[in-house]
Amino acid sequence: MPLIAIYNPVCGDRAAKAFFDAHVVPLLKQNDKPIDSLVATEHAGHAGQLLINFIQSKQGLITVVLGSGDGTLHEIINFLSSNTTTPISRLNFVLVPCGTANALYASIFPPVPKQDPVAYKLHSLQSYINSSRTLPLTLAIATLSSPPNEKKRPQVAISSVVVSTSLHASILRDSEALREEMPGIERFKVAAEKNSTKWYSSEVKLLPAPGAGRVQIYDPATKAFVTHPESDDDDPIVDVDGPFAYFLSTVNVDRLEPAFRITPLARTIPPVEAACDVIMVRPMRDPAISHDTPEARTNFVSKMWMVLGGAYDDGAHIEIHHDNEGGLTPDGDGPLVVEYIRCGGWEWIPDDLDEDAHLLCSDGAVSCIEKGGRAVCSAATPQDGAGFAVYT
């Protein structure tokens, strides 16, 4: 079977080439897995073009050894999905985590204490060498539409990890400017602080997955997903009003960094069909807040940090409640701070006057929804023999 190895030399700490030279290439040679092509990307979007050229020159099921972060995989998936000249069936990926956060890799291979860092990064490669199983990737397809009267072709972004708005999208936008001076995950925390008091005005529609037929919401009392109280046979779509402090959905992953388990139930209660795991934080659910004021936004910051801190505590944020005194508690019967939704997709309809609410992040790539427009995201798993899969 044809084998191409692609690495991004500038991703993460810029060590991909050295790691491939020292570990990846020798291991493949030792196990009689010849590389047909070993190439480094030279600019954004290059990986997709390299892969198209390789596909056009080869026959059979192609395997891609990819040394990068989530962003390069995102570029490849979008490049190949928009290709109209070369028919593409199934592609199998061997992931070698060389990026900053490596969310997909860390979700498939959760890190454990005191593990050998080199051996950890070779898990997917060893799976390929051992002819182990592959995991088909669910894709989140986000369509950004202009106002109906403009009659423009919608913009499409396809993700294998995360689609977000609100705080997470603002963090990704602002962290990119810090990449050179802060190549690690520290830049995300700096960008988070910059956007800490922002709330985002939008309307949201939660759409049920076809098999479930209803939108589901996590119930900490039963430790299970249950039917959302506003989703029924007559109207399964759930309308949600803002403002939002946080709105994020994932596919395939339970974390966005090795220790940041933002959608932990994606692993502990895995979906049985293509679905988005959605995390929403709406400050007006806080009994201590009656109006959206600058003071209320400032006071909510510490609660937002406690929630995000819970994601670093093995996903404990999904159990945090508001209490009647304006505090937070892991127990109690007050409203949950985080609304954890499982659904087939969602619509985000930002307020025209809130510019930051128009940001949409797709696996780190930030787009802008036009005024009067909306974003619609839906989860899909390709049929057998098609799509993208990862050696696990």
Side-chain angles (χ1 to χ4, degrees), residues 115-370:
Q115 61 194 343
D116 178 81
V118 172
Y120 173 71
K121 295 175 75 171
L122 296 173
H123 282 330
S124 185
L125 186 63
Q126 288 286 2
S127 176
Y128 164 68
I129 290 170
N130 297 336
S131 300
S132 300
R133 75 183 189 100
T134 57
L135 174 71
L137 293 179
T138 295
L139 300 178
I141 303 170
T143 304
L144 286 71
S145 301
S146 303
N149 60 316
E150 299 210 0
K151 299 180 180 179
K152 290 183 181 178
R153 183 186 297 272
Q155 177 185 349
V156 178
I158 303 175
S159 305
S160 60
V161 174
V162 60
V163 183
S164 69
T165 65
S166 306
L167 178 61
H168 185 260
S170 293
I171 290 172
L172 268 293
R173 175 197 60 188
D174 294 337
S175 67
E176 194 58 32
L178 302 169
R179 180 182 290 271
E180 286 295 324
E181 61 180 291
M182 295 181 180
I185 61 176
E186 297 83 6
R187 70 178 185 270
F188 299 126
K189 296 177 182 178
V190 173
E193 183 66 31
K194 176 181 177 181
N195 293 282
S196 61
T197 60
K198 290 182 180 178
W199 295 355
Y200 303 83
S201 298
S202 181
E203 298 176 14
V204 166
K205 293 181 181 294
L206 302 173
L207 314 174
R214 307 277 188 88
V215 173
Q216 298 177 306
I217 187 168
Y218 175 64
D219 175 20
T222 60
K223 305 296 183 186
F225 282 102
V226 298
T227 299
H228 194 289
E230 296 178 28
S231 181
D232 55 38
D233 288 338
D234 293 332
D235 187 7
I237 296 173
V238 176
D239 294 304
V240 185
D241 293 326
F244 298 83
Y246 205 78
F247 186 93
L248 173 149
S249 74
T250 65
V251 290
N252 303 307
V253 306
D254 66 338
R255 65 197 71 202
L256 298 182
E257 300 168 16
F260 187 69
R261 296 190 70 206
I262 190 65
T263 47
L265 303 181
R267 184 173 184 84
T268 54
I269 311 176
V272 297
E273 62 180 317
C276 297
D277 274 25
V278 177
I279 295 292
M280 302 189 301
V281 177
R282 294 189 289 158
M284 298 305 294
R285 287 167 53 84
D286 185 344
I289 297 176
S290 57
H291 297 89
D292 179 357
T293 65
E295 181 182 10
R297 294 189 178 205
T298 299
N299 291 338
F300 194 74
V301 170
S302 61
K303 298 178 182 180
M304 192 67 223
W305 290 160
M306 186 175 293
V307 168
L308 296 182
Y312 284 105
D313 185 19
D314 203 28
H317 58 298
I318 65 173
E319 308 283 346
I320 300 176
H321 296 254
H322 292 289
D323 65 27
N324 293 328
E325 284 73 46
L328 300 180
T329 175
D331 306 304
D333 55 6
L336 285 164
V337 180
V338 170
E339 295 169 276
Y340 193 140
I341 304 293
R342 181 162 287 167
C343 58
W346 46 267
E347 295 185 23
W348 176 268
I349 310 162
D351 187 316
D352 284 351
L353 299 179
D354 189 342
E355 290 189 7
D356 287 334
H358 287 71
L359 298 177
L360 183 126
C361 170
S362 174
D363 288 354
V366 179
S367 305
C368 187
I369 304 167
E370 290 189 26

Side-chain angles (χ1 to χ4, degrees), residues 92-103:
N92 289 334
F93 284 89
V94 175
L95 299 182
V96 181
C98 297
T100 302
N102 305 302

